[in-house]
Amino acid sequence: MNVVFAVTFGLLGVAGLLTMLRVVRGPRTLDRILAVDVLVILIVAGTAVGMAMSSRGIYIALIVVVALLGFVGTISVVRLVERREEYR
């Protein structure tokens, strides 16, 4: 079972690196915002895998809070960017 967790963490790490590449390269603001949202999702997934690896469910509240904050934050920033680009 440890091999499964190692492979999962490796894939999440590769996904995180590719997402950071998208944050840096852009090309638009909305692409960067979406990439940051994907990073939040990857953090939630990594925490969930770590929780499954330790067989303890103590971080479930943390997962829910981070996921909700990521969702609300992304929606708020997208609306702000949408309004600003409307006037250009």
Side-chain angles (χ1 to χ4, degrees):
M1 202 54 140
N2 289 332
V3 174
V4 173
F5 292 129
V7 169
T8 304
F9 278 128
L11 290 174
L12 286 173
V14 169
L17 290 175
L18 291 173
T19 304
M20 287 302 297
L21 181 70
R22 176 52 60 194
V23 169
V24 172
R25 293 185 70 196
R28 292 177 288 177
T29 305
L30 291 178
D31 293 329
R32 290 184 173 102
I33 293 169
L34 181 63
V36 170
D37 188 42
V38 170
L39 278 177
V40 170
I41 292 169
L42 290 174
I43 290 169
V44 168
T47 306
V49 171
M51 199 170 60
M53 189 170 75
S54 69
S55 299
R56 298 176 73 192
I58 60 173
Y59 297 116
I60 193 72
L62 175 71
I63 289 174
V64 171
V65 168
V66 170
L68 286 174
L69 284 175
F71 175 74
V72 170
T74 301
I75 296 299
S76 301
V77 171
V78 167
R79 285 191 176 182
L80 178 68
V81 169
E82 188 178 64
R83 286 184 191 159
R84 285 189 178 184
E85 288 183 0
E86 204 172 71
Y87 295 112
R88 289 184 182 182

